[in-house]
Amino acid sequence: MKIGIIGAGFAGVTAAQVAAEAGAEVTLYSAEKMLPYFRPRLPEIAFEKRSNIAIKPLEWYSEKSINLKLNSEVISFNPDFSVVVSDNSKENFDALIIATGGKSAIPPFARNSNVKKMFTIWNLSDAIAISEQAKRGSRVVIIGGGVIGLETALRATNMGLDITVIDRNSRLMSRNFGTKASQVIEALMRKQNVKLLFDTSVSKVENCTDMTVKISLKNNENLLCDFVILSIGAGFDISLATKAGLNTDKRIIVDNELRTSSDGIFAAGDIAQFPIPCSAKEALAQGRIAGHNAVAWLTGEETRTYNPEPVIMRLKHNDFELYSVGKIPANSNEERILEFDAAQLYRGCVYEDNTLSGVQMVGSDKDFMKLWKEMINSNNA
C-alpha cells in the first residue's frame, strides 16, 4: 500500500503522518531543500531572526517511516498514480494526495523584472534573503496591505526600519473588516510609524542606482527605497493537475471527502477548492481526512467527511491585534458595535435577519471566541 504525497506543507505532512500510522508506505515530496516548515512564521525569520520554524525535526520522519524527499520537485503525475520528479526519476504508487499549496501572486510590473531587491515573502529562501537585505538598507516599501503585509510591516518596525505600505484599496483590510474597524487599524499602524498610501497601485519598479529602487505609482508619484516586498495575495498553480486530467477551477475541485475527479487521487490544503480560504487549522483537518481517506480507498474502510468551518483571520504582534470571522458589515443596519474608539479599539458583530453572521475585533479579543461559537451554533441550527 504505497501512497505518494506531493507537497510538504502543513496539510501534506499531516496527511503523511495519518497514512503512515495506518500502515501505508508513504513518500512525501518537497520542492524545497529545507525541512517542511510553518509558512505563516516567515515574517519572523525575515525580521526577528527566529532560527527554527520546522513543522517536525528530521528524525521524526524516520520514526514515522515517512520517506521525505527534499529538493524533489514533481514535474508530473498521472491517474495511474505515477510521479515524475525533476531529476527524471519515476515512482509508482497506489494512491496520491496533492497538497502543493499556493504561491505568491506576482503582479504584471514584477514579472520578468531585473530588480534584485524585490522579494516575495512566500518561502524560507525569500525570508532569509529579506533578513540579509534588512541589514544593509533601512527604507522598505511593502506592496499590499493584507494581513501578511501588515504583520511584515509591524515586525520590520521592530528593527527601526522606515516602512511604507501601499494598498490599492481605500482602506486597510477591507476584505476582513468594515469601515470603522479599518479606521482603527489605520490609526494603530500609524502609531507604529508605518506610512500608508491608499487608492493607488504600482505601475513600475526599477533599479534607480546600485543601492536604491524606484517605485512609480499610477498617481504619478515616485518612491525611492532600499528594497521592496510584494505581499498582494496568493495564486495557485493547477498546471500539473490539469495535465493529469483532474477537474480544476481556480484550484483543484474536490468533494467533501477530498476526492478529486480521478479515483484514488485526493487533494488537501490551499490547493483544494472550497468556498472559504484554508487556514492552518483547516489544513491540518484536511490533511488528516485526506490521509485517512487515501488509505480507506485502498482498504475498503469507512471514509471521513470534511466539514469546513468559517476561518478566523487573526494577527497578534505585541499589543497590536486583529480578529475577524464570517461576514463583514455591508451597511450600518447589519453592524452592531460593542465598543469603538477610533484611535485604538473596535469590537463589533454582523447580523443578518437577526442571526449572528460575523465578528470583528481590533485591539482586543474580549468575547471573540464566545461570539464565534455562538455564530457557529446558529449556522448549524
Side-chain angles (χ1 to χ4, degrees):
M1 184 168 60
K2 295 178 63 178
I3 295 177
I5 301 176
I6 304 171
F10 210 16
V13 170
T14 304
Q17 178 180 357
V18 170
E21 289 177 348
E25 182 182 338
V26 176
T27 297
L28 178 61
Y29 292 97
S30 174
E32 298 190 62
K33 297 179 181 179
M34 56 286 295
L35 286 173
Y37 54 85
F38 291 105
R39 196 174 302 277
R41 294 182 180 172
L42 290 175
E44 300 174 32
I45 292 287
F47 294 107
E48 295 186 354
K49 298 181 176 62
R50 186 183 180 98
S51 60
N52 183 20
I53 59 171
I55 297 174
K56 299 291 183 181
L58 180 61
E59 58 270 19
W60 179 87
Y61 296 92
S62 298
E63 291 168 0
K64 294 294 181 180
S65 299
I66 297 170
N67 180 18
L68 174 62
K69 292 195 172 184
L70 299 176
N71 199 27
S72 298
E73 180 184 2
V74 171
I75 59 174
S76 70
F77 66 87
N78 292 290
D80 64 1
F81 314 121
S82 62
V83 170
V84 178
V85 185
S86 53
D87 63 1
N88 290 320
S89 62
K90 181 179 179 181
E91 190 163 0
N92 296 312
F93 297 95
D94 301 309
L96 293 176
I97 299 172
I98 315 303
T100 48
K103 60 180 182 178
S104 179
I106 305 298
F109 66 80
R111 295 168 194 164
N112 303 314
S113 172
N114 64 350
V115 177
K116 294 183 179 180
K117 294 183 180 181
M118 181 163 55
F119 309 93
T120 63
I121 189 162
W122 198 262
N123 57 48
L124 190 54
S125 59
D126 292 336
I128 292 171
I130 292 170
S131 178
E132 291 300 313
Q133 187 60 49
K135 298 174 184 177
R136 299 188 289 271
S138 62
R139 297 172 300 172
V140 187
V141 171
I142 299 171
I143 302 173
V147 63
I148 298 299
L150 295 191
E151 181 181 359
T152 301
L154 290 168
R155 293 188 184 278
T157 59
N158 288 350
M159 296 181 63
L161 301 180
D162 182 329
I163 308 299
T164 299
V165 174
I166 300 173
D167 196 319
R168 66 179 180 180
N169 299 303
S170 60
R171 56 186 179 88
L172 291 172
M173 301 293 292
S174 57
R175 292 184 179 181
N176 302 96
F177 294 92
T179 303
K180 285 186 171 61
S182 288
Q183 181 180 349
V184 180
I185 297 171
E186 178 181 345
L188 293 175
M189 293 299 293
R190 293 191 188 280
K191 187 177 179 180
Q192 297 292 326
N193 296 318
V194 175
K195 302 180 184 71
L196 301 169
L197 297 179
F198 298 115
D199 282 321
T200 189
S201 54
V202 176
S203 59
K204 190 175 183 180
V205 176
E206 57 190 324
N207 295 311
C208 183
T209 69
D210 289 342
M211 300 301 294
T212 60
V213 177
K214 178 182 175 182
I215 299 175
S216 300
L217 304 178
K218 290 187 177 177
N219 63 3
N220 296 319
E221 293 183 12
N222 294 320
L223 294 176
L224 295 179
C225 63
D226 297 308
F227 63 101
V228 180
I229 297 175
L230 300 176
S231 180
I232 60 171
F236 303 95
D237 186 351
I238 58 172
S239 59
L240 295 183
T242 302
K243 290 177 182 177
L246 303 187
N247 288 346
T248 60
D249 182 26
K250 293 181 180 178
R251 292 171 281 172
I252 298 175
I253 296 173
V254 295
D255 63 12
N256 60 3
E257 293 182 354
L258 301 179
R259 297 178 298 184
T260 70
S261 58
S262 184
D263 285 346
I265 300 181
F266 300 78
D270 282 328
I271 198 64
Q273 183 159 305
F274 286 97
I276 58 178
C278 185
S279 66
K281 178 183 176 183
E282 295 302 299
L284 175 66
Q286 290 183 29
R288 285 174 176 162
I289 290 172
H292 172 85
N293 287 354
V295 172
W297 184 75
L298 294 168
T299 61
E301 297 176 28
E302 185 176 352
T303 57
R304 296 174 183 169
T305 300
Y306 171 64
N307 297 305
E309 292 184 346
V311 172
I312 298 174
M313 189 294 302
R314 68 182 81 205
L315 168 57
K316 182 171 175 56
H317 179 67
N318 296 332
D319 58 352
F320 184 97
E321 48 188 325
L322 309 176
Y323 308 90
S324 177
V325 65
K327 181 179 173 61
I328 66 171
N331 54 62
S332 59
N333 293 329
E334 294 182 342
E335 185 175 26
R336 186 175 301 177
I337 298 176
L338 306 176
E339 285 186 274
F340 177 58
D341 178 335
Q344 60 185 358
L345 178 65
Y346 174 89
R347 296 174 58 246
C349 299
V350 180
Y351 283 85
E352 293 180 299
D353 300 323
N354 294 318
T355 299
L356 181 61
S357 60
V359 185
Q360 289 84 43
M361 296 189 182
V362 181
S364 170
D365 66 347
K366 181 182 176 182
D367 294 333
F368 181 85
M369 295 307 295
K370 175 184 175 181
L371 290 164
W372 173 73
K373 290 177 182 177
E374 179 185 330
M375 187 182 81
I376 295 297
N377 291 335
S378 64
N379 288 339
N380 292 334

Short mmCIF file of all heavy atoms in Angstrom, two decimals, residues 3-47:
data_model
loop_
_atom_site.label_atom_id
_atom_site.label_comp_id
_atom_site.label_asym_id
_atom_site.label_seq_id
_atom_site.Cartn_x
_atom_site.Cartn_y
_atom_site.Cartn_z
N ILE A 3 1.54 5.20 -0.89
CA ILE A 3 0.85 6.47 -1.10
C ILE A 3 1.89 7.56 -1.31
O ILE A 3 2.81 7.72 -0.51
CB ILE A 3 -0.05 6.81 0.10
CG1 ILE A 3 -1.18 5.78 0.22
CG2 ILE A 3 -0.64 8.22 -0.06
CD1 ILE A 3 -2.08 5.98 1.42
N GLY A 4 1.74 8.30 -2.41
CA GLY A 4 2.62 9.43 -2.68
C GLY A 4 1.91 10.73 -2.35
O GLY A 4 0.73 10.91 -2.67
N ILE A 5 2.63 11.62 -1.67
CA ILE A 5 2.07 12.91 -1.28
C ILE A 5 2.93 14.01 -1.88
O ILE A 5 4.13 14.08 -1.61
CB ILE A 5 2.00 13.05 0.25
CG1 ILE A 5 1.13 11.92 0.83
CG2 ILE A 5 1.45 14.42 0.64
CD1 ILE A 5 1.06 11.90 2.34
N ILE A 6 2.32 14.84 -2.70
CA ILE A 6 3.05 15.90 -3.41
C ILE A 6 2.78 17.22 -2.70
O ILE A 6 1.68 17.73 -2.73
CB ILE A 6 2.60 15.97 -4.88
CG1 ILE A 6 2.78 14.61 -5.55
CG2 ILE A 6 3.39 17.05 -5.62
CD1 ILE A 6 2.17 14.53 -6.94
N GLY A 7 3.81 17.74 -2.04
CA GLY A 7 3.67 18.98 -1.29
C GLY A 7 3.82 18.73 0.19
O GLY A 7 3.13 17.89 0.77
N ALA A 8 4.76 19.45 0.81
CA ALA A 8 5.11 19.16 2.21
C ALA A 8 4.82 20.34 3.12
O ALA A 8 5.63 20.67 4.00
CB ALA A 8 6.57 18.75 2.31
N GLY A 9 3.69 20.98 2.92
CA GLY A 9 3.23 21.98 3.88
C GLY A 9 2.49 21.30 5.01
O GLY A 9 2.61 20.08 5.23
N PHE A 10 1.70 22.07 5.74
CA PHE A 10 1.01 21.54 6.91
C PHE A 10 0.07 20.40 6.52
O PHE A 10 0.01 19.36 7.19
CB PHE A 10 0.24 22.67 7.60
CG PHE A 10 0.10 22.49 9.08
CD1 PHE A 10 0.89 21.61 9.79
CD2 PHE A 10 -0.82 23.25 9.78
CE1 PHE A 10 0.77 21.47 11.16
CE2 PHE A 10 -0.95 23.12 11.15
CZ PHE A 10 -0.17 22.22 11.84
N ALA A 11 -0.69 20.58 5.43
CA ALA A 11 -1.62 19.53 5.00
C ALA A 11 -0.88 18.28 4.57
O ALA A 11 -1.27 17.15 4.92
CB ALA A 11 -2.50 20.05 3.87
N GLY A 12 0.19 18.43 3.80
CA GLY A 12 0.93 17.28 3.30
C GLY A 12 1.60 16.49 4.41
O GLY A 12 1.55 15.24 4.43
N VAL A 13 2.23 17.18 5.36
CA VAL A 13 2.90 16.49 6.47
C VAL A 13 1.88 15.76 7.34
O VAL A 13 2.10 14.62 7.75
CB VAL A 13 3.72 17.50 7.31
CG1 VAL A 13 4.22 16.85 8.60
CG2 VAL A 13 4.90 18.03 6.50
N THR A 14 0.74 16.40 7.59
CA THR A 14 -0.30 15.77 8.39
C THR A 14 -0.88 14.54 7.69
O THR A 14 -1.09 13.50 8.31
CB THR A 14 -1.42 16.77 8.70
OG1 THR A 14 -0.86 17.92 9.34
CG2 THR A 14 -2.48 16.17 9.60
N ALA A 15 -1.12 14.64 6.39
CA ALA A 15 -1.62 13.50 5.63
C ALA A 15 -0.61 12.35 5.66
O ALA A 15 -1.00 11.18 5.78
CB ALA A 15 -1.91 13.92 4.19
N ALA A 16 0.66 12.69 5.54
CA ALA A 16 1.71 11.67 5.58
C ALA A 16 1.71 10.94 6.91
O ALA A 16 1.83 9.70 6.97
CB ALA A 16 3.07 12.32 5.32
N GLN A 17 1.57 11.68 7.99
CA GLN A 17 1.56 11.06 9.32
C GLN A 17 0.38 10.11 9.47
O GLN A 17 0.54 8.97 9.93
CB GLN A 17 1.50 12.14 10.40
CG GLN A 17 1.44 11.57 11.81
CD GLN A 17 1.38 12.64 12.88
OE1 GLN A 17 1.44 13.83 12.58
NE2 GLN A 17 1.28 12.24 14.13
N VAL A 18 -0.81 10.57 9.09
CA VAL A 18 -2.00 9.75 9.25
C VAL A 18 -1.90 8.47 8.40
O VAL A 18 -2.19 7.37 8.87
CB VAL A 18 -3.27 10.55 8.86
CG1 VAL A 18 -4.49 9.64 8.77
CG2 VAL A 18 -3.50 11.66 9.87
N ALA A 19 -1.46 8.62 7.15
CA ALA A 19 -1.36 7.46 6.27
C ALA A 19 -0.30 6.48 6.76
O ALA A 19 -0.50 5.26 6.72
CB ALA A 19 -1.05 7.92 4.85
N ALA A 20 0.85 7.00 7.21
CA ALA A 20 1.92 6.12 7.70
C ALA A 20 1.49 5.38 8.95
O ALA A 20 1.78 4.18 9.11
CB ALA A 20 3.18 6.95 7.96
N GLU A 21 0.81 6.07 9.86
CA GLU A 21 0.35 5.41 11.08
C GLU A 21 -0.71 4.36 10.80
O GLU A 21 -0.93 3.46 11.62
CB GLU A 21 -0.17 6.47 12.06
CG GLU A 21 0.94 7.33 12.65
CD GLU A 21 0.43 8.44 13.56
OE1 GLU A 21 -0.80 8.68 13.56
OE2 GLU A 21 1.26 9.06 14.26
N ALA A 22 -1.37 4.46 9.64
CA ALA A 22 -2.36 3.45 9.25
C ALA A 22 -1.72 2.28 8.52
O ALA A 22 -2.42 1.37 8.07
CB ALA A 22 -3.43 4.10 8.38
N GLY A 23 -0.40 2.32 8.36
CA GLY A 23 0.30 1.19 7.76
C GLY A 23 0.72 1.39 6.32
O GLY A 23 1.28 0.47 5.71
N ALA A 24 0.49 2.57 5.76
CA ALA A 24 0.88 2.81 4.37
C ALA A 24 2.38 3.10 4.26
O ALA A 24 3.00 3.61 5.20
CB ALA A 24 0.09 3.98 3.79
N GLU A 25 2.94 2.76 3.11
CA GLU A 25 4.31 3.15 2.78
C GLU A 25 4.22 4.52 2.11
O GLU A 25 3.73 4.63 0.98
CB GLU A 25 4.92 2.11 1.85
CG GLU A 25 6.36 2.39 1.47
CD GLU A 25 6.91 1.35 0.49
OE1 GLU A 25 6.35 0.23 0.43
OE2 GLU A 25 7.87 1.68 -0.23
N VAL A 26 4.70 5.55 2.78
CA VAL A 26 4.45 6.93 2.37
C VAL A 26 5.73 7.59 1.86
O VAL A 26 6.78 7.53 2.51
CB VAL A 26 3.87 7.76 3.53
CG1 VAL A 26 3.71 9.23 3.12
CG2 VAL A 26 2.53 7.19 3.98
N THR A 27 5.61 8.23 0.71
CA THR A 27 6.67 9.10 0.20
C THR A 27 6.13 10.52 0.12
O THR A 27 5.07 10.75 -0.45
CB THR A 27 7.14 8.65 -1.20
OG1 THR A 27 7.71 7.34 -1.10
CG2 THR A 27 8.20 9.61 -1.74
N LEU A 28 6.86 11.45 0.73
CA LEU A 28 6.45 12.85 0.80
C LEU A 28 7.42 13.70 0.00
O LEU A 28 8.61 13.77 0.33
CB LEU A 28 6.42 13.30 2.27
CG LEU A 28 6.06 14.76 2.57
CD1 LEU A 28 4.66 15.10 2.07
CD2 LEU A 28 6.19 15.04 4.06
N TYR A 29 6.93 14.34 -1.06
CA TYR A 29 7.78 15.13 -1.95
C TYR A 29 7.73 16.61 -1.57
O TYR A 29 6.66 17.20 -1.44
CB TYR A 29 7.31 14.99 -3.40
CG TYR A 29 7.50 13.62 -3.99
CD1 TYR A 29 6.45 12.70 -4.02
CD2 TYR A 29 8.73 13.24 -4.54
CE1 TYR A 29 6.62 11.44 -4.59
CE2 TYR A 29 8.91 11.99 -5.11
CZ TYR A 29 7.85 11.09 -5.12
OH TYR A 29 8.02 9.84 -5.68
N SER A 30 8.90 17.21 -1.45
CA SER A 30 9.01 18.65 -1.23
C SER A 30 9.93 19.25 -2.28
O SER A 30 11.01 18.72 -2.53
CB SER A 30 9.56 18.96 0.17
OG SER A 30 9.79 20.35 0.31
N ALA A 31 9.51 20.35 -2.89
CA ALA A 31 10.35 21.01 -3.89
C ALA A 31 11.47 21.81 -3.24
O ALA A 31 12.42 22.21 -3.93
CB ALA A 31 9.50 21.92 -4.77
N GLU A 32 11.39 22.03 -1.94
CA GLU A 32 12.38 22.86 -1.25
C GLU A 32 13.47 22.00 -0.62
O GLU A 32 13.27 20.82 -0.34
CB GLU A 32 11.70 23.73 -0.20
CG GLU A 32 10.71 24.71 -0.81
CD GLU A 32 10.22 25.74 0.18
OE1 GLU A 32 11.05 26.51 0.69
OE2 GLU A 32 9.01 25.77 0.45
N LYS A 33 14.62 22.63 -0.36
CA LYS A 33 15.77 21.91 0.19
C LYS A 33 15.68 21.74 1.71
O LYS A 33 16.31 20.85 2.26
CB LYS A 33 17.06 22.66 -0.14
CG LYS A 33 17.37 22.76 -1.62
CD LYS A 33 18.65 23.54 -1.86
CE LYS A 33 18.95 23.68 -3.34
NZ LYS A 33 20.20 24.46 -3.58
N MET A 34 14.91 22.60 2.36
CA MET A 34 14.85 22.58 3.81
C MET A 34 13.67 21.77 4.31
O MET A 34 12.75 21.46 3.56
CB MET A 34 14.79 24.01 4.38
CG MET A 34 13.64 24.84 3.86
SD MET A 34 13.85 25.44 2.15
CE MET A 34 15.26 26.51 2.32
N LEU A 35 13.71 21.41 5.59
CA LEU A 35 12.63 20.65 6.19
C LEU A 35 11.31 21.39 6.05
O LEU A 35 11.27 22.63 6.06
CB LEU A 35 12.91 20.42 7.68
CG LEU A 35 13.98 19.39 8.04
CD1 LEU A 35 14.24 19.43 9.55
CD2 LEU A 35 13.56 17.99 7.62
N PRO A 36 10.20 20.68 5.92
CA PRO A 36 8.90 21.34 5.87
C PRO A 36 8.71 22.28 7.07
O PRO A 36 9.08 21.94 8.20
CB PRO A 36 7.91 20.16 5.92
CG PRO A 36 8.67 19.03 5.28
CD PRO A 36 10.09 19.22 5.73
N TYR A 37 8.11 23.45 6.82
CA TYR A 37 8.05 24.47 7.85
C TYR A 37 6.69 25.17 7.86
O TYR A 37 5.89 25.03 6.94
CB TYR A 37 9.17 25.50 7.64
CG TYR A 37 9.20 26.12 6.27
CD1 TYR A 37 8.41 27.22 5.95
CD2 TYR A 37 10.01 25.59 5.25
CE1 TYR A 37 8.43 27.78 4.68
CE2 TYR A 37 10.03 26.14 3.98
CZ TYR A 37 9.24 27.23 3.71
OH TYR A 37 9.26 27.78 2.44
N PHE A 38 6.47 25.94 8.96
CA PHE A 38 5.25 26.72 9.10
C PHE A 38 5.39 28.00 8.28
O PHE A 38 6.08 28.93 8.68
CB PHE A 38 5.01 27.07 10.57
CG PHE A 38 4.64 25.89 11.43
CD1 PHE A 38 5.56 25.33 12.30
CD2 PHE A 38 3.37 25.34 11.36
CE1 PHE A 38 5.22 24.25 13.10
CE2 PHE A 38 3.02 24.26 12.16
CZ PHE A 38 3.95 23.71 13.03
N ARG A 39 4.71 28.07 7.17
CA ARG A 39 4.82 29.23 6.29
C ARG A 39 4.36 30.53 6.95
O ARG A 39 4.95 31.60 6.71
CB ARG A 39 4.04 28.97 4.99
CG ARG A 39 4.39 29.92 3.86
CD ARG A 39 3.69 29.50 2.58
NE ARG A 39 4.04 28.15 2.20
CZ ARG A 39 5.14 27.83 1.53
NH1 ARG A 39 6.00 28.77 1.18
NH2 ARG A 39 5.39 26.57 1.21
N PRO A 40 3.30 30.53 7.79
CA PRO A 40 2.88 31.80 8.39
C PRO A 40 3.94 32.46 9.27
O PRO A 40 3.81 33.63 9.62
CB PRO A 40 1.65 31.40 9.23
CG PRO A 40 1.11 30.19 8.55
CD PRO A 40 2.33 29.45 8.08
N ARG A 41 4.99 31.73 9.63
CA ARG A 41 6.02 32.30 10.50
C ARG A 41 7.18 32.93 9.72
O ARG A 41 8.17 33.36 10.31
CB ARG A 41 6.56 31.23 11.45
CG ARG A 41 5.52 30.73 12.45
CD ARG A 41 6.09 29.72 13.41
NE ARG A 41 5.08 29.26 14.34
CZ ARG A 41 5.26 28.25 15.20
NH1 ARG A 41 6.42 27.62 15.23
NH2 ARG A 41 4.30 27.89 16.03
N LEU A 42 7.06 33.02 8.43
CA LEU A 42 8.16 33.58 7.64
C LEU A 42 8.51 35.03 8.00
O LEU A 42 9.69 35.39 8.00
CB LEU A 42 7.83 33.46 6.14
CG LEU A 42 7.87 32.04 5.58
CD1 LEU A 42 7.41 32.04 4.13
CD2 LEU A 42 9.25 31.43 5.71
N PRO A 43 7.52 35.89 8.31
CA PRO A 43 7.91 37.25 8.72
C PRO A 43 8.82 37.26 9.95
O PRO A 43 9.63 38.18 10.12
CB PRO A 43 6.56 37.92 9.02
CG PRO A 43 5.60 37.22 8.12
CD PRO A 43 6.05 35.79 8.14
N GLU A 44 8.70 36.26 10.80
CA GLU A 44 9.58 36.17 11.97
C GLU A 44 11.02 35.89 11.54
O GLU A 44 11.97 36.44 12.10
CB GLU A 44 9.09 35.08 12.92
CG GLU A 44 7.69 35.31 13.46
CD GLU A 44 7.21 34.13 14.28
OE1 GLU A 44 8.04 33.48 14.93
OE2 GLU A 44 5.99 33.86 14.27
N ILE A 45 11.18 35.04 10.54
CA ILE A 45 12.51 34.75 10.01
C ILE A 45 13.09 36.01 9.37
O ILE A 45 14.26 36.33 9.54
CB ILE A 45 12.46 33.61 8.98
CG1 ILE A 45 12.09 32.29 9.67
CG2 ILE A 45 13.78 33.48 8.23
CD1 ILE A 45 13.18 31.68 10.50
N ALA A 46 12.25 36.72 8.63
CA ALA A 46 12.73 37.88 7.88
C ALA A 46 13.22 39.01 8.79
O ALA A 46 14.22 39.66 8.48
CB ALA A 46 11.62 38.40 6.96
N PHE A 47 12.53 39.21 9.92
CA PHE A 47 12.84 40.41 10.70
C PHE A 47 13.14 40.16 12.18
O PHE A 47 13.52 41.10 12.87
CB PHE A 47 11.69 41.41 10.60
CG PHE A 47 11.52 41.96 9.22
CD1 PHE A 47 10.47 41.57 8.41
CD2 PHE A 47 12.45 42.86 8.71
CE1 PHE A 47 10.33 42.08 7.13
CE2 PHE A 47 12.31 43.37 7.43
CZ PHE A 47 11.25 42.98 6.64
#
